[in-house]
Amino acid sequence: MQDNKGYLDMQMLRFTTAGSVDDGKSTLIGRLLYDSKSIFEDQLEAVEEASRSRGNEEVNLALLTDGLRAEREQGITIDVAYRYFATPKRKFIIADTPGHVQYTRNMVTGASTADLAVILVDARHGIMEQTIRHSFIASLLGIREVVVAVNKMDLVDFSEEVFTTIVSDYRKMEQEMGFSLENVTFIPISAKDGDNVVNRSERMPWYSGPSLLEYLETVPIPAGSDAGTLLPVQYVIRPISAQFPDFRSYAGQLCAGTLKPGDRVTVLPSGLTTEVTAIWLGDKQIPEAVAPLSVAVTLKDDIDISRGDVLTASDEMQPGIGQEFTVDVCWLRDTPLETGRRYLVRHAAQEVTGIVKAIEYKIDINTQERIGNVESLRMNDIARVRIKTAEPLVYTPYERNRVMGSLVFIDESNDTVGAGMIKNA
């Protein structure tokens, strides 16, 4: 077993699984966990018991991720299930997302923080509507690394012809739809039996590429954003104690870049500049903070800074400040988005009132057609809208930084109803 320091220093890859209903997403994750010896004995015993009670002849590894009672009873995934595991080479966080069309919003949630997407395709059925839908969402959310895992190869006699046809069909679809996916890798697997999941399969000698786990362990993790240094202030720490009579620091998660004592920083939106005097991690000072570390920063000058302000490096390109934005939105609730309606807009550490000024167009995910003259959006709709906020927001376009380029819409009942990605101001 590796020591704790080695574990903490390991790289982490976040990835999401997606695909149509019954493509085997949960089974694949169960197989990854099982074959990589990443589950505890009591977990396996519970799954074995649940499998027997359902009348399964074999252990149903999908039950390792389908945690809701309704999921186990129906044999489907409803909610996003997060699982964590590690190998000697890398740590992983998996988001297992549902396959049903009505749960598209859950796929958006699971993919929003992912570095890579594993899109499953049933070898018997080939490219389906959900394959297109999930590929589009991966592209929309800035996921550039995609694995197309052609599953259930055991049900097509491990046919190389079936696999190559699906690869060709996906490439054609990708070109026709204009998806901005930088790297797509195709791996033929059988999640049920474990072929090419953790270990390479002897039943597909025509395939010379890596197993899925080998690929996940070696794929380059996308570099951080090119948005410079960004620290949205979440909390002002002012203990007012005998030990710290004049202490004041500004806490938040560094979402891009690095900070060191002595660095000149600009506070936005005020534009005032000052110098970092110390960086605190808990009750200890550290020589440098690197994204995505959560830290507290003390400054040389007494500047009026509050929650929602952003610290940036003075010598770097500055983020934008604006009140009117073009935003790609995925609507998450039955209550429709309507033009002219006010919402609470949550962006980084800031909350402001906003109004939807116009819906420029809605996107038909299956054809990429832009549909105009739209007055409202329903659940799972994806559209480009224009909004105006009551106060300025410090932002970057979503493709430059996910934290400073994303926002959520909250209605009067305090329900999160939409997720948006800022295109420009």
Side-chain angles (χ1 to χ4, degrees):
M1 181 177 293
Q2 57 201 352
D3 57 54
N4 287 336
K5 186 176 185 303
Y7 176 80
L8 293 174
D9 291 339
M10 290 170 64
Q11 284 188 315
M12 176 177 288
L13 178 71
R14 299 171 181 265
F15 69 94
T16 184
T17 60
S20 300
V21 178
D22 294 331
D23 276 351
K25 299 177 297 299
S26 298
T27 301
L28 172 62
I29 294 176
R31 175 60 64 183
L32 269 174
L33 298 174
Y34 181 78
D35 284 1
S36 63
K37 298 178 174 56
S38 299
I39 58 174
F40 295 110
E41 188 173 334
D42 60 338
Q43 289 177 300
L44 182 59
E45 289 175 354
V47 169
E48 289 173 342
E49 176 59 32
S51 299
R52 284 193 295 270
S53 67
R54 292 181 55 178
N56 297 138
E57 295 181 359
E58 301 172 349
V59 176
N60 185 355
L61 295 175
L63 298 180
L64 283 168
T65 57
D66 288 340
L68 298 178
R69 181 177 179 181
E71 293 177 323
R72 295 193 173 198
E73 289 175 349
Q74 299 178 51
I76 62 172
T77 300
I78 296 174
D79 200 3
V80 180
Y82 292 93
R83 292 295 179 268
Y84 310 83
F85 76 104
T87 70
K89 295 182 179 180
R90 188 171 276 178
K91 297 179 290 188
F92 301 94
I93 298 179
I94 317 169
D96 181 24
T97 62
H100 287 74
V101 173
Q102 63 264 41
Y103 298 127
T104 298
R105 57 184 179 171
N106 300 65
M107 197 275 179
V108 172
T109 301
S112 62
T113 58
D115 304 308
L116 178 148
V118 178
I119 298 176
L120 275 80
V121 174
D122 190 320
R124 299 168 300 172
H125 304 144
I127 306 302
M128 304 285 287
E129 176 183 320
Q130 283 296 74
T131 312
I132 301 172
R133 184 181 298 267
H134 291 148
S135 297
F136 171 73
I137 292 173
S139 174
L140 185 71
L141 292 174
I143 299 176
R144 300 292 178 249
E145 295 282 345
V146 170
V147 175
V148 177
V150 182
N151 193 23
K152 304 188 180 182
M153 290 297 297
D154 53 307
L155 300 182
V156 294
D157 297 325
F158 302 98
S159 168
E160 180 180 7
E161 182 181 357
V162 169
F163 177 71
T164 55
T165 297
I166 291 174
V167 171
S168 177
D169 290 346
Y170 188 92
R171 290 294 192 194
K172 182 180 178 182
M173 177 272 296
E174 182 186 6
Q175 185 176 14
E176 290 177 350
M177 297 297 182
F179 295 149
S180 55
L181 303 172
E182 291 180 3
N183 187 29
V184 181
T185 300
F186 300 87
I187 302 177
I189 66 171
S190 169
K192 176 175 171 290
D193 298 328
D195 295 87
N196 285 337
V197 177
V198 170
N199 303 306
R200 298 192 192 189
S201 172
E202 296 180 355
R203 299 195 284 185
M204 287 177 276
W206 44 265
Y207 173 73
S208 58
S211 69
L212 177 60
L213 183 60
E214 287 173 340
Y215 181 81
L216 295 175
E217 286 181 326
T218 57
V219 63
I221 295 177
S225 71
D226 63 350
T229 299
L230 297 168
L231 177 65
V233 175
Q234 295 177 322
Y235 188 67
V236 180
I237 299 175
R238 187 83 165 90
I240 312 179
S241 64
Q243 185 179 1
F244 300 103
D246 301 310
F247 185 88
R248 185 192 303 269
S249 68
Y250 307 95
Q253 183 180 42
L254 191 64
C255 64
T258 61
L259 269 182
K260 300 185 296 294
D263 285 351
R264 294 292 299 178
V265 293
T266 299
V267 182
L268 296 178
S270 70
L272 298 173
T273 61
T274 184
E275 182 180 307
V276 176
T277 56
I279 299 175
W280 296 80
L281 183 62
D283 60 354
K284 295 182 175 60
Q285 291 191 47
I286 58 175
E288 183 181 45
V290 179
L293 200 62
S294 294
V295 295
V297 175
T298 56
L299 303 175
K300 182 178 181 180
D301 301 297
D302 186 12
I303 296 176
D304 182 14
I305 300 173
S306 59
R307 179 182 174 90
D309 290 346
V310 179
L311 304 182
T312 71
S314 299
D315 60 351
E316 296 175 346
M317 181 173 64
Q318 298 296 292
I321 303 173
Q323 287 182 257
E324 296 193 31
F325 303 92
T326 301
V327 180
D328 286 337
V329 170
C330 178
W331 203 244
L332 307 177
R333 290 291 183 267
D334 292 323
T335 306
L337 175 148
E338 297 173 337
T339 56
R341 187 172 177 183
R342 295 182 183 276
Y343 297 94
L344 183 65
V345 176
R346 180 174 295 160
H347 169 262
Q350 192 171 6
E351 290 185 353
V352 299
T353 301
I355 186 171
V356 178
K357 296 187 67 177
I359 300 173
E360 293 188 358
Y361 56 81
K362 184 171 72 172
I363 300 172
D364 185 321
I365 295 180
N366 298 318
T367 66
Q368 302 302 290
E369 178 187 359
R370 297 180 177 183
I371 304 169
N373 299 317
V374 178
E375 293 297 327
S376 65
L377 299 179
R378 300 289 178 178
M379 186 171 67
N380 294 324
D381 280 346
I382 293 176
R384 180 158 293 181
V385 306
R386 293 201 311 272
I387 67 170
K388 183 175 183 179
T389 57
E391 299 174 30
L393 299 180
V394 180
Y395 77 98
T396 68
Y398 181 82
E399 58 265 23
R400 290 189 60 212
N401 185 269
R402 284 182 172 181
V403 174
M404 300 304 295
S406 62
L407 47 82
V408 296
F409 296 85
I410 301 169
D411 66 9
E412 64 276 2
S413 63
N414 203 33
D415 192 18
T416 300
V417 291
M421 291 140 282
I422 297 173
K423 302 302 293 183
N424 53 58

